Amino acid sequence: MNFTPVVSPGRLLVRSYGTGGFNINDHRVVGSVMLFPSHVETWEVHSVADLPSAEFLQVIEERPQIEVLLVGTGHSSAALDTVSRENLRAAGICVDVMPTGAACRTYNVLVGEDRRVAAALIALG
């Protein structure tokens, strides 16, 4: 029995995560990433300590293609700073913050539903 989610052609899924990066559609990406349904970009955030200075301009520029942003915060949950949260909300983007593993799984489910989702994922060491 095949449990692979059926997704629209060209959509990206997280196949695995850990050891400093991600396997996205069977391509290894090292480091933290901004993941969109159709492309991936590097994200210069290495830990939750970097979040207050994180820029989410890539996500805001993708609007209206993106309506939900998942922020993966590493091994444990953390809060997103008020300024970032307000900037995203002003752009009409809902944000949810959770550990990276949960963000990867949630992203895959939402992409499978053809939702307009992006994920900012801190790589796990």
Side-chain angles (χ1 to χ4, degrees):
M1 183 178 272
N2 185 355
F3 289 102
T4 304
V6 176
V7 297
S8 298
R11 296 290 188 140
L12 300 178
L13 292 175
V14 180
R15 302 291 182 190
S16 64
Y17 55 89
T19 62
F22 302 88
N23 181 331
I24 300 171
N25 281 22
D26 299 321
H27 289 60
R28 177 80 177 149
V29 180
V30 176
S32 300
V33 297
M34 281 274 190
L35 180 59
F36 299 89
S38 62
H39 67 283
V40 63
E41 298 177 15
T42 59
W43 189 37
E44 294 303 318
V45 172
H46 306 288
S47 72
V48 294
D50 296 334
L51 280 178
S53 63
E55 295 284 334
F56 294 99
L57 295 177
Q58 302 100 309
V59 178
I60 293 170
E61 289 171 357
E62 291 281 329
R63 181 80 181 132
Q65 290 81 9
I66 300 301
E67 63 184 7
V68 176
L69 172 65
L70 304 170
V71 179
T73 57
H75 289 289
S76 59
S77 190
L80 189 61
D81 65 281
T82 304
V83 172
S84 293
R85 189 175 288 279
E86 288 299 319
N87 288 342
L88 290 162
R89 188 169 61 94
I93 299 169
C94 297
V95 62
D96 199 357
V97 182
M98 60 193 74
T100 295
C104 290
R105 294 184 296 273
T106 304
Y107 171 85
N108 283 351
V109 168
L110 294 177
V111 166
E113 294 174 352
D114 278 332
R115 297 284 302 274
R116 296 180 300 182
V117 62
L121 305 170
I122 295 175
L124 301 175

